[in-house]
Amino acid sequence: MTSLKRVRLSFQTRMILLITSVIIVIISAIGLIFSSIIASSIEEQIGKRALSVAKIAANDPELRAAFFTDNPSALIQPIAENVRSQTDAEFVVVGNKEGIRYAHPLADRIGKEMVGGDNELGLQYGQSYISKAVGSLGPSLRGKVPIKDEQGEVIGIVSVGFLLEDIENAIDDYQDKVFLIMGIAVLCGVLGAIALSRYLKRAILGLEPEEIAALYVERNAVLESVREGIVAIDKNNRITMMNKAALRILGLPVDHVHGKQIYEVLPDSRMPEILVTGEYQLDRETLIGGKEIIVNRLPIKLGDQIVGVVSSFRSKSEIDQLASELSQARRYADVLRAQTHEFHNLLYTISGLLQLGSIQEAVELITSETSSQQELILFLAKQIPDPLIGALLLGMHNRARELKIQFIINHDSRLTELPDTINRQHVIVLLGNLLQNALEAVNASGKEQKIVECYLSDAGEEIMFEVEDSGSGVPEALRDQVFEYGFSTKEGEQRGLGLAKVRDIVGEMGGYILLGRSERGGALFTVSLPKEWRGSHAEG
């Protein structure tokens, strides 16, 4: 058994066939109508011409006078033939009141009765008219005009005709031209359909309608499944999409949002700025309806042209909770890993001393290690009582020992509990990135002396952090670039994010950050944060 496989035409092919079919139907209809109008017009014009010629002949005084002679045909025949030759009529026939011919193109038919049966209106009622009839020369279109004497009495009739065959030939000539034009129009339409279908194919990124529909359904499902709020606007600042999470976070009604100007819904939105600048704004903190949220704003580009903006955001409290849990877990892991490594080394050393019989040296080593760690813990508890910042510094101290780097917390450091206006999680991220960056810089420098020093202060109206190292430092030419997203002097992926994040946090908290050169030869980062920071109030 032979199975027929159903052929599935592509969108482009279907578009070409559809547009071509429509064009052919429209042009064919127009052509047929136009052809009918031409045929009717030609027939009407020829009929009027025949009637006009017949009127001229019927009003000829010589022709009328000939009717009263002994041999009318001898005088009328030359007049009729002269009219026929000058007007290119097929025939000019003149008959008397009884319908007997006095003139005819074929002389042998003179004296015989006129054929066609269409003389009644002219001979009996004296009317002039156009008719179609089959005469002695074949089917023809005729103009009939009665001949009247001085008293207005009908004495005969003039019949001027053109053969229908000749008329149809003339119509066919015009119709051939019409069909030629139709063919050219159809060809142009097909080429236009091909060009249009290719343009549409490019415009929809080569996708088939079924694929577009599937993507649309998937897109809606994805947008509604995420917990982040998502808002998109077009190049005219109209809202094109806002998912349910965004409506919930912003406290907006479900209806009457799509299609509105973004300023009507979020008066202080900064999304229109992205249409102009094309800037990527990542992890910006803002305040909407009394709720702190974290916002990302990205331009939507088609080629090099910005056609819209999309913004995603989530409640800051949720992010802070996750960040806190993750940060604590990472700090505990780093501390435990570093302490485990150091503890193993210490145990190996103590074991070696005991095996060598150096009991006193083993006791002194245990006392020294315990005293050093205890002094750091007591210092942190007294000068930096905040548990999160203290845990961060202790973890960095252990990490530095693991890397054989001297980690110094300046003894003049003092940082009591942070004011409520300053976000502790931001401070942890900021300070952690600066310290981690310093440890990596010192470790990669190859110098013999490896030192990282940290200073913290809450004196005055500002919170101050200073982190300096003995690494290679940052060249003067690169100091403006190190805070850009993606820029890094280190090799590897996922670089260029730490200092950019620090810059964003400092900016959002209303502070400033300075980069200089440390007396130890490396980089010196100075951060100042105002204690009275109130956050950003830009929406969306």
Side-chain angles (χ1 to χ4, degrees):
M1 179 181 291
T2 304
S3 61
L4 297 177
K5 184 178 181 181
R6 181 171 177 257
V7 178
R8 183 176 180 272
L9 299 178
S10 67
F11 171 71
Q12 185 173 356
T13 303
R14 282 181 283 169
M15 282 295 298
I16 294 174
L17 292 176
L18 176 60
I19 296 174
T20 301
S21 300
V22 172
I23 290 173
I24 291 175
V25 170
I26 293 175
I27 292 178
S28 297
I30 293 174
L32 291 174
I33 294 172
F34 190 60
S35 177
S36 176
I37 292 173
I38 288 176
S40 179
S41 177
I42 291 175
E43 188 173 307
E44 181 181 357
Q45 293 300 320
I46 292 177
K48 289 180 179 180
R49 179 181 172 189
L51 187 61
S52 177
V53 172
K55 286 180 179 180
I56 293 173
N59 292 322
D60 188 338
E62 293 182 9
L63 188 142
R64 284 188 295 179
F67 269 79
F68 302 100
T69 63
D70 294 336
N71 188 7
S73 180
L75 297 175
I76 294 175
Q77 175 70 2
I79 295 173
E81 284 300 298
N82 183 49
V83 173
R84 184 177 69 84
S85 63
Q86 290 183 3
T87 59
D88 292 328
E90 189 66 32
F91 59 84
V92 177
V93 176
V94 179
N96 62 15
K97 191 173 182 179
E98 287 74 27
I100 303 301
R101 299 188 188 103
Y102 284 164
H104 194 279
L106 300 178
D108 60 343
R109 298 186 183 181
I110 296 174
K112 297 180 180 180
E113 187 176 356
M114 297 174 69
V115 179
D118 54 349
N119 291 331
E120 182 178 359
L121 290 176
L123 293 175
Q124 294 185 15
Y125 300 101
Q127 295 182 11
S128 299
Y129 54 94
I130 300 171
S131 71
K132 284 184 182 180
V134 179
S136 60
L137 297 177
S140 59
L141 183 66
R142 312 170 176 208
K144 299 275 188 175
V145 177
I147 303 171
K148 298 179 181 180
D149 60 12
E150 296 294 338
Q151 288 75 33
E153 295 292 332
V154 177
I155 59 175
I157 190 168
V158 176
S159 178
V160 178
F162 295 87
L163 293 180
L164 291 180
E165 182 181 356
D166 294 337
I167 296 174
E168 290 173 357
N169 290 336
I171 292 174
D172 289 342
D173 290 340
Y174 281 101
Q175 288 179 337
D176 289 342
K177 295 177 182 178
V178 171
F179 292 143
L180 177 61
I181 295 172
M182 288 172 56
I184 295 173
V186 169
L187 179 60
C188 293
V190 171
L191 295 177
I194 295 174
L196 178 61
S197 64
R198 288 180 177 176
Y199 167 76
L200 293 175
K201 189 75 171 178
R202 291 194 302 270
I204 60 176
L205 306 178
L207 298 174
E208 296 294 322
E210 296 82 1
E211 295 173 329
I212 295 175
L215 287 175
Y216 181 77
V217 173
E218 292 175 6
R219 168 239 194 208
N220 288 341
V222 170
L223 291 176
E224 297 304 334
S225 66
V226 297
R227 298 182 63 185
E228 288 79 6
I230 300 176
V231 179
I233 63 173
D234 61 16
K235 60 183 179 182
N236 297 317
N237 293 325
R238 286 193 301 266
I239 297 175
T240 58
M241 187 275 299
M242 182 178 289
N243 66 352
K244 292 181 180 179
L247 295 172
R248 175 179 54 81
I249 294 173
L250 300 176
L252 297 174
V254 177
D255 300 327
H256 312 301
V257 174
H258 291 78
K260 285 190 174 182
Q261 291 285 319
I262 185 67
Y263 291 126
E264 296 180 32
V265 180
L266 300 173
D268 299 324
S269 175
R270 297 179 61 184
M271 293 178 69
E273 296 178 11
I274 311 302
L275 289 172
V276 179
T277 64
E279 178 187 4
Y280 285 70
Q281 298 181 357
L282 304 176
D283 297 331
R284 299 297 178 88
E285 186 172 322
T286 185
L287 192 67
I288 299 179
K291 299 179 181 178
E292 291 185 345
I293 62 174
I294 303 299
V295 183
N296 296 297
R297 307 180 188 97
L298 290 85
I300 303 172
K301 293 185 176 181
L302 185 59
D304 296 329
Q305 184 180 7
I306 299 176
V307 296
V309 178
V310 62
S311 174
S312 63
F313 48 90
R314 192 169 184 178
S315 175
K316 183 174 176 294
S317 60
E318 298 178 7
I319 296 177
D320 287 346
Q321 182 179 357
L322 293 175
S324 176
E325 294 175 357
L326 178 61
S327 178
Q328 291 181 20
R330 290 182 61 181
R331 286 196 299 273
Y332 293 153
D334 289 341
V335 171
L336 290 174
R337 181 170 54 83
Q339 288 183 341
T340 299
H341 185 74
E342 290 295 323
F343 187 65
H344 283 168
N345 291 337
L346 182 61
L347 287 179
Y348 294 147
T349 303
I350 293 173
S351 175
L353 290 174
L354 293 177
Q355 292 179 28
L356 294 173
S358 302
I359 298 176
Q360 184 61 34
E361 287 81 356
V363 172
E364 291 177 357
L365 178 59
I366 294 172
T367 303
S368 174
E369 288 295 326
T370 304
S371 175
S372 175
Q373 191 75 4
Q374 190 65 28
E375 286 180 5
L376 176 60
I377 293 175
L378 290 175
F379 173 79
L380 292 175
K382 180 180 179 181
Q383 298 296 107
I384 307 175
D386 189 287
L388 291 179
I389 298 178
L392 172 66
L393 294 175
L394 183 60
M396 287 296 175
H397 177 268
N398 292 327
R399 174 61 177 162
R401 290 185 61 181
E402 183 181 356
L403 297 174
K404 306 302 180 185
I405 297 173
Q406 184 180 359
F407 183 76
I408 301 173
I409 301 176
N410 192 295
H411 283 281
D412 293 330
S413 294
R414 182 177 181 275
L415 184 63
T416 57
E417 187 175 355
L418 293 174
D420 294 336
T421 55
I422 291 184
N423 188 298
R424 298 169 71 199
Q425 296 297 331
H426 282 180
V427 173
I428 295 298
V429 173
L430 186 156
L431 187 57
N433 275 312
L434 290 178
L435 292 173
Q436 184 64 34
N437 193 67
L439 292 175
E440 291 180 357
V442 170
N443 193 47
S445 67
K447 292 184 178 181
E448 182 176 350
Q449 187 181 39
K450 298 182 178 182
I451 300 175
V452 172
E453 183 172 354
C454 175
Y455 171 73
L456 302 88
S457 173
D458 60 358
E461 300 299 323
E462 297 177 327
I463 303 296
M464 180 77 71
F465 302 115
E466 285 188 358
V467 176
E468 61 178 315
D469 60 69
S470 62
S472 301
V474 179
E476 185 75 26
L478 300 180
R479 290 185 181 180
D480 292 334
Q481 301 181 50
V482 295
F483 295 104
E484 296 178 2
Y485 274 99
F487 180 83
S488 177
T489 58
K490 308 180 186 71
E491 297 181 356
E493 299 180 354
Q494 302 298 324
R495 293 289 186 179
L497 301 178
L499 291 179
K501 182 64 178 176
V502 169
R503 177 204 62 184
D504 289 345
I505 291 176
V506 172
E508 292 289 341
M509 297 179 73
Y512 64 85
I513 181 170
L514 300 176
L515 171 58
R517 189 164 187 84
S518 168
E519 294 180 355
R520 302 181 186 277
L524 170 63
F525 287 90
T526 302
V527 175
S528 175
L529 303 175
K531 292 181 179 179
E532 295 301 321
W533 173 70
R534 296 297 179 183
S536 171
H537 295 275
E539 297 182 353

